[in-house]
Amino acid sequence: IRHGQSESNIDHRISGWSDVNLTELGRQQAHQLADAIAEYRHTVDKIYASDLKRALQTAHIASGNVPELVDTRLREINFGELEGVIFPELPVEQQQIITDIDRFHAPKGESWREVRERALDFFHELDSGRHLLFTHGGLMRTVLRDVGLDVVVPNCSAVAIKVDQRDVRELLFYWEPLTTSAPPLSSSNIANPISK
């Protein structure tokens, strides 16, 4: 699950490892997510979250619990010297480079490949079962590419994937809050994988 709208999302400010809070809308999104996942919460074995406030706040509201494990490997990319920069103010060429999963490496920060590797390392250590992870859009995008989906996941969206050790095997469902065009979470879009 991607965190709800954060203070940096409003200004389009790059906030990889910057520790910012949810906005009021972000909290509302997390409450909407809580309602959407309420009937499935009992099927979750463990809850994990990034250590950054926006993910922890979303986890607390949406899951009704403090995560059992907080892990830095679930963090967004470290944008290094680009932290705090307003994205639309960058030249178009630089914006394109930053969003290029295959080429980008933040100055004094991480590459998208490094983000993907730490996510896969985290998955590798997970016990078998159903886990709820509260994380960030960039990390989710790097992992979803393994199942043929290259999208920027909107705030407070939920994605279910099947993972076998370090391999992302299957996309089970993709859900966005009602503020977007996706349908509410239901047994019909959990049981059937979406087309790639």
Side-chain angles (χ1 to χ4, degrees):
I1 295 172
R2 182 181 179 193
H3 61 80
Q5 183 191 64
S6 73
E7 294 166 343
S8 293
N9 292 142
I10 291 176
D11 314 350
H12 305 284
R13 193 171 299 276
I14 296 173
S15 63
W17 283 17
S18 299
D19 206 8
V20 296
N21 290 305
L22 292 179
T23 62
E24 181 56 35
L25 175 60
R27 287 186 288 280
Q28 289 172 11
Q29 290 170 331
H31 283 289
Q32 183 183 6
L33 176 65
D35 292 342
I37 65 173
E39 67 182 285
Y40 305 102
R41 220 176 285 146
H42 72 280
T43 67
V44 173
D45 296 310
K46 291 185 181 174
I47 300 170
Y48 299 87
S50 157
D51 65 323
L52 297 175
K53 286 190 279 193
R54 57 197 186 267
L56 285 170
Q57 291 167 354
T58 304
H60 180 73
I61 294 167
S63 72
N65 297 303
V66 175
E68 294 180 30
L69 178 66
V70 175
D71 199 299
T72 59
R73 291 174 293 179
L74 295 175
R75 279 185 172 201
E76 182 62 278
I77 187 173
N78 177 354
F79 280 106
E81 294 176 349
L82 294 172
E83 292 280 337
V85 171
I86 297 175
F87 186 78
E89 293 179 0
L90 293 170
V92 172
E93 300 79 26
Q94 192 170 9
Q95 291 178 26
Q96 291 170 341
I97 291 169
I98 290 171
T99 59
D100 186 333
I101 297 288
D102 297 315
R103 296 186 320 159
F104 179 67
H105 193 287
K108 296 188 180 176
E110 291 180 293
S111 70
W112 288 116
R113 288 180 184 173
E114 289 170 318
V115 173
R116 181 180 175 277
E117 285 303 311
R118 70 174 149 82
L120 295 179
D121 287 345
F122 177 81
F123 295 160
H124 180 69
E125 292 180 16
L126 285 175
D127 294 331
S128 182
R130 292 180 180 200
H131 306 289
L132 195 55
L133 312 179
F134 290 87
T135 187
H136 304 271
L139 181 142
M140 291 174 73
R141 181 176 174 218
T142 65
V143 171
L144 289 174
R145 291 180 81 214
D146 287 2
V147 293
L149 189 62
D150 190 354
V151 295
V152 175
V153 179
N155 290 113
C156 234
S157 294
V159 176
I161 54 175
K162 183 176 183 178
V163 177
D164 179 19
Q165 296 295 319
R166 287 179 49 91
D167 295 326
V168 178
R169 297 284 185 190
E170 182 181 358
L171 179 65
L172 302 174
F173 74 85
Y174 180 96
W175 176 86
E176 295 177 2
L178 293 176
T179 55
T180 68
S181 61
L185 189 63
S186 70
S187 58
S188 63
N189 61 353
I190 288 177
N192 302 312
I194 67 168
S195 58
K196 296 176 187 169

